[in-house]
């Protein structure tokens, strides 16, 4: 698997491979650096806002899956992962594009028997708290088969400002 220097940093969306424990410290450092950079972007681009770090930057609004994934990973929320076979390997968040442009869907998924469905309400409530503190609008819904998910979007004023 290529390292971050070869491919650039990619936040965990929950569809990536299981990382070996030996890579945990390096991954944590890369996440911290990326999140620190994101907060710096917010400080520089949201300078008119009284709390610039509390509002998503235009960069995030244009790349919401990456921004939401980074926010969750930086907060220490566990992403799901998949085996090379494509089967789910661990329980955690799964972030993907939402049903409407500029939105993101966050689910709590895991392999059969992992207890993900029992943990999803508490885990998604934690995810919503992380995202709301960073200025995102996160609403908890119940979907098919009574499974819960978050629909995440930037505050309405930011969507208009970036043409979304």
């Amino acid at each position: 698997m290529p390292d971050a220097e070869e491919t650039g940093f990619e936040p965990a969306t929950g569809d990536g491979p299981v990382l070996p424990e030996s890579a945990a410290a390096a991954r944590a450092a890369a996440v911290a650096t990326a999140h620190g950079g994101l907060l710096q972007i917010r400080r520089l681009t949201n300078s008119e806002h009284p709390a610039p770090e509390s509002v998503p930057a235009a960069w995030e609004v244009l790349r919401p899956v990456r921004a939401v994934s980074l926010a969750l990973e930086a907060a220490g929320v566990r992403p799901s992962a998949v085996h090379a076979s494509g089967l789910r390997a661990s329980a955690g968040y799964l972030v993907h594009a939402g049903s409407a442009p500029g939105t993101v869907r966050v689910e709590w998924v895991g392999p059969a028997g992992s207890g993900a469905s029992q943990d999803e309400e508490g885990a998604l409530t934690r995810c919503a708290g992380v995202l709301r503190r960073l200025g995102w609008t996160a609403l908890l819904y119940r979907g098919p088969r009574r499974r819960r998910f978050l629909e995440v979007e930037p505050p309405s004023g930011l969507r208009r400002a970036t043409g979304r």
Side-chain angles (χ1 to χ4, degrees):
M1 180 165 88
D3 66 18
E5 288 183 23
E6 294 172 357
T7 63
F9 177 81
E10 287 294 329
T13 62
D15 261 342
V18 177
L19 293 178
E21 288 198 31
S22 61
R27 178 67 187 184
V31 169
T33 298
H35 192 252
L38 177 61
L39 294 177
Q40 181 64 14
I41 289 170
R42 283 182 171 202
R43 283 190 290 274
L44 294 171
T45 62
N46 294 335
S47 59
E48 74 289 345
H49 195 277
E53 289 183 8
S54 68
V55 180
W59 178 92
E60 295 171 87
V61 174
L62 295 173
R63 295 162 190 84
V65 169
R66 287 180 61 106
V68 167
S69 298
L70 178 57
L72 293 174
E73 191 174 7
V77 181
R78 180 180 69 245
S80 183
V82 292
H83 290 294
S85 66
L87 293 175
R88 193 84 22 214
S90 62
Y93 68 78
L94 174 64
V95 179
H96 52 91
S99 57
T103 66
V104 172
R105 184 174 172 134
V106 180
E107 300 173 64
W108 195 259
V109 299
S114 68
S117 62
Q118 289 80 31
D119 297 339
E120 73 183 2
E121 184 173 14
L124 289 172
T125 298
R126 178 179 177 213
C127 291
V130 166
L131 296 169
R132 288 178 185 138
R133 283 189 296 279
L134 289 169
W136 294 92
T137 301
L139 301 173
L140 184 62
Y141 291 101
R142 190 181 299 260
R145 297 182 310 276
R146 305 191 53 77
R147 295 295 307 261
R148 292 174 178 86
F149 65 93
L150 290 177
E151 188 77 26
V152 183
E153 59 187 34
S156 60
L158 287 179
R159 281 187 307 240
R160 284 191 294 274
T162 59
R164 298 218 177 227

